Amino acid sequence: MATAGKVIKCKAAVAWEPNKPLVIEEIEVAPPKAKEVRIKIVATGVCHTDLYHLFEGMHKDGFPAVLGHEGAGIVESVGPGVTEFQPGDKVIPLFLPQCGECRFCKSPKTNQCVHAWDAGVMSTPDSRFTCKGKKVLQFMGTSTFSEYTVMNQMSVAKIDPAAPLDKVCLLGCGICTGYGAAVNTAKVEPGSTCAVFGLGAVGLAAVMGCKAAGAKRIIAVDTNPEKSEKATVFGATDFVNPKDHSKPISQVLSDMTNGGVDFSLECVGNVGVMRSALESCVRGWGVSVIVGWTDMDDFAARPIQLMAGRTWKGTLFGGFKSKDGVPQMVKAYLDKKVKVDEFITHNMTLDQVNDAIELMKHGKCIRTVLSVSPQ
């Protein structure tokens, strides 16, 4: 392409400081260095983790930054030593790298990679972005709220050229996280009873994962009654609103299930809900998985909960090894084995990113997809 090897000036939504609206700016995106790929972002979802960094985590060293980590695009150019990608390839940027070489990547036990970004500032120390003479950080190493981004090849997944980018962008975070939490991490069993707490995109994907794994009863839990209908679309058999009950939700679920569920998934990112999810599990073999992202507070439970045979575990990106898992999930979508379109409630443009953030903040959407660049 004519832009290869040159700095690209393009539009991006910059978070200059925490707790403030994003600002549409012209930024400079440097050419890719060795083993890097420059990607034209076509579409991106807006995920709660973007809001978490902006309004909750608010780590002072994590700004200015370009947020966004749930995108899809087309390779514009590649740096020296890149053989896996070429200009024109359809790709999904990955916030979780897979180098394939480290002890984590070589182990079937985990999807962690030694090259993951710093969980405090939630960005990589190196950035290819500048704006008004200042370095701008790449959130989670990705930054999909920009027309172009640069990433190491170990953080990029090549996908089927038939995939619609304005849909499969959601497989870059939320859907894989929830679906994989059920299938890979909880290892939901056929005929089991499950409870999913929190029915945003991640929770609904967890419901879909429980159904795919063969669960016979899936109880969806949310304080917003409007989420009930959507949960049914993804496979929930029951809906419970904790606000409708005077008893603790764990007691309500225990009464409904003869002592508790076999599997519970917390998809909110709230330490109180994490405890409720654990306590909703049946003793002896109940498994509870922490899926919702937070790093603000300690969590707590009585030791007897675990001594009685429950297991409490966490997941990142649904346990998928990113470069392997994302193309598989794209294929599953194209084969109509997983739903994606049903998560999208709103379509907007990058210029409307603050409106999309407001929708999510107030629980008025499941996923908003922003069109970033024309294909």
Side-chain angles (χ1 to χ4, degrees), residues 87-109:
D89 284 348
K90 282 191 178 180
V91 292
I92 289 179
L94 307 167
F95 69 84
L96 186 65
Q98 184 186 346
C99 72
E101 299 296 322
C102 71
R103 61 188 174 133
F104 298 124
C105 283
K106 285 180 172 172
S107 167
K109 294 178 185 176

Side-chain angles (χ1 to χ4, degrees), residues 228-360:
S228 166
E229 201 177 318
K230 205 73 170 165
T232 308
V233 170
F234 289 97
T237 56
D238 304 73
F239 177 81
V240 178
N241 183 345
K243 288 182 174 173
D244 293 343
H245 300 270
S246 53
K247 288 188 286 195
I249 185 64
S250 55
Q251 188 59 52
V252 174
L253 293 179
S254 180
D255 293 347
M256 286 172 70
T257 56
N258 187 28
V261 299
D262 301 308
F263 300 94
S264 71
L265 298 111
E266 193 278 356
C267 302
V268 180
N270 176 301
V271 293
V273 180
M274 290 170 192
R275 181 171 188 161
S276 294
L278 175 72
E279 292 174 351
S280 300
C281 283
V282 70
R283 63 183 179 166
W285 59 72
V287 174
S288 187
V289 180
I290 295 170
V291 192
W293 175 270
T294 184
D295 192 24
M296 301 284 291
D297 303 296
D298 292 345
F299 64 169
R302 293 286 174 93
I304 187 68
Q305 296 288 340
L306 302 185
M307 293 160 88
R310 296 175 186 85
T311 302
W312 211 2
K313 60 209 292 199
T315 188
L316 189 66
F317 199 51
F320 283 108
K321 285 189 183 280
S322 56
K323 279 176 82 91
D324 297 340
V326 167
Q328 288 165 6
M329 285 291 280
V330 169
K331 185 176 186 311
Y333 164 67
L334 293 172
D335 292 344
K336 300 192 164 38
K337 293 192 174 121
V338 298
K339 292 178 164 67
V340 173
D341 302 27
E342 291 80 357
F343 288 90
I344 302 168
T345 51
H346 298 75
N347 287 280
M348 295 184 178
T349 64
L350 182 60
D351 291 331
Q352 297 169 291
V353 64
N354 289 311
D355 298 335
I357 286 170
E358 285 303 306
L359 280 174
M360 174 157 272

Side-chain angles (χ1 to χ4, degrees), residues 36-345:
E36 291 181 344
V37 180
R38 188 159 60 182
I39 302 163
K40 179 170 90 165
I41 299 292
V42 171
T44 180
V46 179
C47 172
H48 190 268
T49 310
D50 299 309
L51 275 66
Y52 170 87
H53 186 66
L54 195 58
F55 300 117
E56 295 171 49
M58 300 198 298
H59 198 294
K60 65 178 180 1
D61 296 332
F63 297 87
V66 173
L67 302 181
H69 63 282
E70 192 177 71
I74 296 164
V75 174
E76 172 268 341
S77 61
V78 300
V82 174
T83 53
E84 191 185 337
F85 301 97
Q86 52 195 23
D89 284 348
K90 282 191 178 180
V91 292
I92 289 179
L94 307 167
F95 69 84
L96 186 65
Q98 184 186 346
C99 72
E101 299 296 322
C102 71
R103 61 188 174 133
F104 298 124
C105 283
K106 285 180 172 172
S107 167
K109 294 178 185 176
T110 183
N111 66 341
Q112 294 288 307
C113 174
V114 76
H115 296 284
W117 35 267
D118 182 318
V121 296
M122 296 186 78
S123 63
T124 41
D126 211 5
S127 169
R128 300 284 166 263
F129 293 166
T130 50
C131 182
K132 298 179 179 172
K134 287 197 176 100
K135 183 168 99 161
V136 178
L137 296 170
Q138 290 185 230
F139 178 66
M140 292 170 99
T142 50
S143 294
T144 57
F145 295 172
S146 170
E147 291 178 326
Y148 288 87
T149 190
V150 177
M151 304 195 58
N152 190 291
Q153 61 180 355
M154 66 182 154
S155 299
V156 182
K158 187 167 158 177
I159 60 168
D160 190 315
L165 298 177
D166 59 344
K167 304 287 194 289
V168 297
C169 57
L170 300 187
L171 295 170
C173 179
I175 297 176
C176 284
T177 296
Y179 187 87
V183 174
N184 301 328
T185 310
K187 293 185 166 60
V188 168
E189 294 161 0
S192 61
T193 298
C194 302
V196 175
F197 290 73
L199 301 173
V202 173
L204 291 170
V207 168
M208 180 167 71
C210 291
K211 184 178 182 188
K216 78 165 187 298
R217 193 171 184 194
I218 304 164
I219 305 167
V221 182
D222 201 291
T223 54
N224 180 351
E226 291 173 16
K227 297 284 179 79
S228 166
E229 201 177 318
K230 205 73 170 165
T232 308
V233 170
F234 289 97
T237 56
D238 304 73
F239 177 81
V240 178
N241 183 345
K243 288 182 174 173
D244 293 343
H245 300 270
S246 53
K247 288 188 286 195
I249 185 64
S250 55
Q251 188 59 52
V252 174
L253 293 179
S254 180
D255 293 347
M256 286 172 70
T257 56
N258 187 28
V261 299
D262 301 308
F263 300 94
S264 71
L265 298 111
E266 193 278 356
C267 302
V268 180
N270 176 301
V271 293
V273 180
M274 290 170 192
R275 181 171 188 161
S276 294
L278 175 72
E279 292 174 351
S280 300
C281 283
V282 70
R283 63 183 179 166
W285 59 72
V287 174
S288 187
V289 180
I290 295 170
V291 192
W293 175 270
T294 184
D295 192 24
M296 301 284 291
D297 303 296
D298 292 345
F299 64 169
R302 293 286 174 93
I304 187 68
Q305 296 288 340
L306 302 185
M307 293 160 88
R310 296 175 186 85
T311 302
W312 211 2
K313 60 209 292 199
T315 188
L316 189 66
F317 199 51
F320 283 108
K321 285 189 183 280
S322 56
K323 279 176 82 91
D324 297 340
V326 167
Q328 288 165 6
M329 285 291 280
V330 169
K331 185 176 186 311
Y333 164 67
L334 293 172
D335 292 344
K336 300 192 164 38
K337 293 192 174 121
V338 298
K339 292 178 164 67
V340 173
D341 302 27
E342 291 80 357
F343 288 90
I344 302 168
T345 51

